Amino acid sequence: MSLSPSSSDNVPVIRFLLRLKLLLLGVLIMLAIVLLRCVQIQVFQHSKWVAASQQVIQRGQLVDTTRGTILDYKGREVAVDTACIDVCVDYRAITPEPDPKWLRDQALARLRARGGLNSRQRTQLIEDEQEVVRGNINLMWAMLARLPGQSAEGIAQTRQTIVRQVEMRRQAVLYRTFDIAVEKYKATSRPSTERSAFARFIEWLPGQRDEGPTIDQFDVQVGEQIRPHVILHDVNDKINNELAKRLESFPGLSLRPGVARKYPYGETGCHLLGHMSRVDRDDLTNDPFNGDDLREYLPTDEAGRGGLEALAEPILRGRRGKVVRIAGSVEPMEETAAIPGQSVTTTIDFELQKRMTQLFAHAKFKHNDDHIELTEMHGAAVVIDVATGEVRALASYPVYNPNTLDTDYKRLSTDDINQPLLNRATMAALEPGSTVKPLIGMSTVTAGLSTVADTVQCTGYLILNGIRYSMGRCWTMTEFHTTHTGVPSASPHPSGMMDMEDAIQRSCNVYFETMGDRMGIDRLSEWMGKWGLGHVTGIGIAESPGRVPNQVPVPAYLRRSTAWFAGIGQGKVLATPLQMANVAATIARGGIWVRPTLLSSADKSRLDTLKARQPSTMPVKEAASLGPDRYDLHIKPAALAAAHSGMVKVVNTEAGTAKVMARTDMVVAGKTGTAQAAPFRYRLRDKDGNFLTDAAGKIQTATLQLSTDGAVNPQAPWYRGTGKSGTDRAHAWFIGFAPAENPKIAFAVLVEYGGAGGRNAAPIAKDVLQACIDAGYLGEAKTEGQPALGMLVP
């Protein structure tokens, strides 16, 4: 029997060795593949993966820009960004719950600084110190809310806005990264199962589905998450010094240099300039700069509100810069410089504006006994360059300081008696009184319903078709119980038969009521609209359209009498000082209406270009169709000549109603207006500024007490009782242009509750004219002795 192994006994061994060799071969192949892949990644695709890794860990930080400067007509700065101090807080302390890692780091830093970090009690010490830090943060927010002009609600809202902004930035980064992935995905071929999974994934994107992953499930970080954000903007020195003492005890608090919008002229032009305020939901939803991530609005941005700040927003707003860094690196990986906003030039002369504003702060109020009192009066004054339509002054009184508007806003907005936030030059739509008489006369003649030679006998009462009406008396009969044949005594009308020129000179109510009757309510309204009443001028800032008679429902039995009173600027017709100044300018141009403007021609052109490219960039909501910027009313030359001559006589003759305006160096044309006014009623508020209501929930109101010669109401010294009784209420108007023979400027003055236009509006208009002369807007004055009744060329 043999003891040597058989061949069959070697089979398992051979098989084992074969499997071992195959396994080793597989390992070697896999190792080779890994090595080849490493070579591919490390050598051939090195730059690609470096860029990809950098993209994952890069941090973008926005760089603030500055807003453009607003310059006045003569190049003075009237709105400018200046250096200031902002109170900032680290984002990780702004969130509802402080960031845990940051909170721990703050606690560790404090413990190390005190040298009290015992390793055996380390965990407990850190936990205790974290609670101390958390308490300090709460104390910080409470202190900020107690600062002047602040509140807990306001601070909380600011924090919420900042958090929302940062979350929006994170989403933007995520979506942008995802868009890149989508494009790469589309360029590759994937199995259908993977495409289905991909389709399910994109459903959670905005506007698709609420379910799915949230942004917190992705490690998306932006620079805003680790830097301070402005909580209080442009604090004063007292607050700055107080907070500087608390920087060590208040984690995350810092005081940093910033930029604030300042208005060097203070109260002057406050309504005209507008102001800045934080953007709201509408701004973000209808962002005119959407698509430009460095210019579009962020929730903590400010935008121009009202006035020139809003009108020129597309020009004034700059473009932010951006710095991209790799996390932990100081050197920027990518940098985009910020572009400052461009400056704009307004047509307003702010020194002239300042002087005109002061005329209302120290108005010369003439009493019945002719003594003059210097007092504050509410009102507005407008000056327009006749040739160009550029507005040289747009004054409104009372005023406020735009530099302190944030802290003063509650007081200003709840002052229902003085209404200091109201721009009376463009928003005070009141009955214009007799200032409409020249345009009524010219319109009636041009419409073919009268001639300049047609006469109307003024008996002191309105007589139509032989019927004498109890209403519609002439002012001479109301005040002096006589007719124009007795008033004025120094220069009475010889017959009482008034033609158009006479009627303008003597401001005869009966004549223009008769013209209103001939026109009728609809034709009268149509012609008033041609002169610019009843619709906005389109100047570019907030303005009232005013009203013409047929824009409100009028019962059939009142339509005729409504036309009578509209013919003398009473009843259903309302106009703003800007509109009436433009009426005067239109007469001065010979019946050419020109849209008034507040921007230089170059800036207006720039703004129009932006509007044409992107209409939504216009923050001011203008009318859908404003019509042409310039058009001819085609007023008959004879009517223009009669209106011109009558307005010259208003100022330069004894029978005129504005003799106070007469000058020896220049002929001035004008028209007074005395518009009956309703009693002043205002809403009642409690000490917190809330409206008081009755049991039915209706807001309670009160009637303001008149100020009279013997008893001035300290609450409203401007609310004057006038007339012989001292208890009449009327708004005083004056419109005009100068020089009469070659008009350069047109103007309008409104004095609220100022009484007679010739008594209390004309003197202010005289000072306005002098201010324009001193500013050089009237050229060389005419010497005495030259002809007074120049003719305008249509």
Side-chain angles (χ1 to χ4, degrees), residues 463-490:
I463 300 175
L464 297 171
N465 302 323
I467 301 174
R468 173 175 149 173
Y469 292 88
S470 59
M471 61 183 72
R473 287 188 294 177
C474 197
W475 65 270
T476 60
M477 185 59 65
T478 301
E479 292 193 23
F480 301 104
H481 304 289
T482 185
T483 67
H484 290 281
T485 58
V487 176
S489 58

Side-chain angles (χ1 to χ4, degrees), residues 149-200:
Q150 305 303 321
S151 66
E153 295 78 10
I155 293 294
Q157 184 176 4
T158 299
R159 292 175 65 185
Q160 291 170 5
T161 300
I162 293 171
V163 171
R164 187 164 60 248
Q165 172 194 344
V166 174
E167 290 304 303
M168 288 173 64
R169 284 277 298 146
R170 292 181 67 201
Q171 288 180 8
V173 171
L174 174 62
Y175 300 154
R176 194 175 297 116
T177 303
F178 187 68
D179 285 341
I180 295 172
V182 168
E183 294 303 318
K184 289 183 178 179
Y185 177 83
K186 291 178 179 178
T188 61
S189 175
R190 302 285 184 182
S192 60
T193 54
E194 292 188 27
R195 290 186 184 276
S196 299
F198 183 83
R200 288 197 302 272

Side-chain angles (χ1 to χ4, degrees), residues 217-237:
Q217 293 176 257
F218 296 89
D219 187 19
V220 178
Q221 292 188 349
V222 292
E224 284 83 351
Q225 289 178 268
I226 55 173
R227 69 178 179 88
H229 293 257
V230 177
I231 301 297
L232 301 179
H233 178 54
D234 188 23
V235 298
N236 58 37
D237 290 341

Side-chain angles (χ1 to χ4, degrees), residues 693-698 700:
T693 58
D694 58 21
K698 184 179 180 181
Q700 299 183 46

Side-chain angles (χ1 to χ4, degrees), residues 251-303:
L253 182 69
S254 60
L255 299 171
R256 301 199 169 205
V259 176
R261 196 66 166 173
K262 293 296 182 182
Y263 303 94
Y265 273 80
E267 296 176 341
T268 300
C270 56
H271 305 95
L272 166 71
L273 287 169
H275 62 281
M276 304 295 296
S277 70
R278 183 163 289 176
V279 298
D280 55 26
R281 183 181 295 274
D282 288 342
D283 295 313
L284 297 173
T285 303
N286 305 305
D287 192 342
F289 309 107
N290 189 29
D292 184 344
D293 62 342
L294 295 182
R295 203 169 185 227
E296 62 188 6
Y297 290 127
L298 297 176
T300 52
D301 281 351
E302 289 190 335

